[in-house]
């Protein structure tokens, strides 16, 4: 038996409950992983709320680190006791143990701790595909990233700086602005007291930016479009303020023949080869000191409700983890 967070209906954080569930043996091609640390991500709140529907009842959580506890048949390359991590599923990471396909699991280098891995697998892979694939950032580019003091944002600030880009970030307080500057943002805009569009055009001498990375969604959609230069790209990769709906595509022409994409990590890591390349790049960036991982909030597994309340209330910075 093991302890896990389960949901039987969708809604606010209170729909999550701690339950004792049976621990099954791994099947063919599967590993059973005993968790040391569990990542908390905004996508978890989408599954819980029903924004991204999942069959109920369900576990929750997509990312964790720990050790291999048992191995199914048809598995090679792993042994019990191996240090491993995964990000992107399957659902059920908010638990003491989880069954995961071996092809979705990465060996954890000695240089990366369990806490760091749980904080960086999903967020680090997201930062990587955004910066290197959705829009390949080049030396000399100036980019805009919303919520720059969040878990993905702090990684993007550091990685984009290493790629030679100038980072303009947004955040809702002076404390968060200072944190993002310390991690590599060149310019920070406090959206609580400053006009984001005006400041972006001031910083770029009226040209706008070639790409905006927007994980906020509804509240920042038109603002993001207005920050782009002609033929610029909006990468809308999250819905922290709610989903973007009812868009008239004509607005893209009016604002400069703009492009919009709604990317997902799942599509950028769909094959085992793509996943392996992404995780290897993330671990290499950590090992070389390009990425410093800020685990700024730790919660017990029993405190998942409080963790989601803090995340959705924008009371967190950097990464948050659950410790089983």
């Amino acid at each position: 038996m093991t302890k896990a967070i389960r949901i039987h209906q969708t809604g606010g954080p209170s729909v999550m409950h701690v339950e004792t569930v049976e621990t099954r043996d791994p099947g063919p091609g599967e590993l059973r992983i005993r968790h040391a640390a569990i990542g908390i991500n905004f996508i978890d709140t989408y599954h819980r709320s029903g924004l991204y529907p999942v069959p109920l009842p369900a576990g929750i959580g997509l990312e964790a680190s720990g050790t291999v506890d048992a191995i199914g048949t048809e598995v090679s390359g792993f042994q019990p006791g191996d240090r491993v991590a995964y990000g992107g599923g399957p659902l059920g990471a908010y638990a003491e143990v989880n069954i995961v396909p071996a092809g979705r699991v990465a060996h954890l280098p000695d240089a990366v701790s369990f806490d760091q891995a749980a904080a960086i697998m999903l967020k680090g892979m997201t930062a990587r595909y955004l910066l290197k694939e959705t829009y390949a950032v080049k030396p000399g580019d100036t980019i805009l990233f919303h919520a720059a003091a969040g878990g993905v944002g702090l990684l993007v600030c550091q990685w984009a700086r290493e790629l030679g880009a100038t980072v303009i970030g947004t955040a809702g307080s002076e404390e968060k602005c200072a944190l993002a500057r310390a991690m590599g943002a060149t310019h920070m805009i406090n959206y609580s007291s400053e006009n984001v569009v005006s400041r972006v055009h001031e910083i770029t001498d009226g040209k706008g930016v070639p790409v905006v990375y927007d994980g906020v969604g509804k509240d920042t959609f038109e603002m993001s479009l207005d920050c782009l230069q002609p033929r610029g790209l909006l990468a809308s990769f999250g819905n922290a303020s709610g989903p973007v709906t009812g868009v008239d595509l004509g607005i893209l022409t009016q604002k400069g023949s703009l492009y919009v994409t709604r990317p997902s990590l799942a599509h950028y890591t769909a094959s085992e080869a793509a996943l392996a390349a992404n995780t290897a790049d993330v671990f290499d960036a950590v090992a070389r000191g390009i990425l410093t991982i800020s685990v700024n909030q730790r919660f017990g597994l029993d405190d998942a409700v409080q963790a989601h309340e803090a995340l959705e209330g924008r009371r967190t910075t950097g990464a948050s983890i659950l410790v089983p």
Side-chain angles (χ1 to χ4, degrees):
M1 304 295 282
T2 189
K3 188 163 64 174
I5 301 294
R6 303 278 291 172
I7 58 172
H8 294 262
Q9 63 186 51
T10 56
S14 63
V15 302
M16 295 187 294
H17 299 283
V18 181
E19 298 181 10
T20 300
V21 299
E22 287 222 21
T23 306
R24 70 172 176 88
D25 291 330
E30 294 180 332
L31 304 175
R32 189 170 68 210
I33 299 172
R34 184 160 296 278
H35 294 157
I38 301 156
I40 302 171
N41 297 282
F42 243 104
I43 194 171
D44 304 341
T45 71
Y46 305 157
H47 292 143
R48 189 213 69 225
S49 70
L51 180 62
Y52 291 179
V54 298
L56 297 175
I60 193 167
L62 296 169
E63 169 185 50
S65 63
T67 55
V68 175
D69 187 53
I71 298 172
T73 59
E74 303 173 20
V75 171
S76 61
F78 292 95
Q79 296 294 329
D82 283 353
R83 300 173 72 251
V84 295
Y86 64 94
L91 281 173
Y94 286 21
E96 293 175 326
V97 301
N98 198 18
I99 304 290
V100 184
R104 310 308 292 175
V105 176
H107 283 281
L108 194 56
D110 291 339
V112 182
S113 72
F114 287 129
D115 282 9
Q116 289 174 321
I120 201 172
M121 283 296 287
L122 199 151
K123 298 177 188 69
M125 288 193 291
T126 298
R128 193 260 190 190
Y129 88 73
L130 288 173
L131 291 173
K132 295 193 173 186
E133 295 184 86
T134 301
Y135 174 90
V137 171
K138 309 177 296 298
D141 278 343
T142 297
I143 68 173
L144 174 63
F145 195 95
H146 289 303
V152 176
L154 293 181
L155 297 176
V156 164
C157 287
Q158 298 172 74
W159 216 334
R161 177 180 59 183
E162 193 270 341
L163 291 171
T166 295
V167 180
I168 305 172
T170 70
S173 70
E174 287 306 317
E175 292 78 11
K176 289 186 175 183
C177 287
L179 176 60
R181 284 192 200 96
M183 299 302 276
T186 312
H187 307 277
M188 283 301 299
I189 303 169
N190 184 342
Y191 61 75
S192 297
S193 58
E194 298 179 273
N195 183 291
V196 173
V197 176
S198 296
R199 286 285 290 123
V200 167
H201 283 277
E202 178 185 330
I203 292 166
T204 61
D205 295 324
K207 292 182 291 188
V209 294
V211 62
V212 177
Y213 297 109
D214 187 348
V216 178
K218 174 171 62 71
D219 289 354
T220 50
F221 179 71
E222 285 213 38
M223 175 199 305
S224 294
L225 297 180
D226 288 335
C227 291
L228 287 167
Q229 63 191 36
R231 297 176 63 187
L233 171 68
L234 168 58
S236 178
F237 68 96
N239 309 289
S241 66
V244 177
T245 59
V247 176
D248 177 1
L249 291 180
I251 197 173
L252 303 179
T253 298
Q254 297 164 18
K255 294 180 181 293
S257 296
L258 304 178
Y259 296 87
V260 176
T261 183
R262 184 65 176 84
S264 165
L265 176 62
H267 295 126
Y268 282 84
T269 57
S271 71
E272 291 185 11
L275 177 68
N278 193 316
T279 56
D281 205 9
V282 170
F283 290 151
D284 177 68
V286 175
R288 291 194 291 134
I290 293 169
L291 298 180
T292 298
I293 303 152
S294 302
V295 182
N296 293 343
Q297 295 81 213
R298 288 176 171 81
F299 301 88
L301 184 60
D302 293 351
D303 299 322
V305 170
Q306 293 93 312
H308 276 217
E309 288 173 344
L311 184 64
E312 292 179 298
R314 303 193 183 185
R315 300 194 301 272
T316 65
T317 59
S320 302
I321 63 170
L322 297 173
V323 181

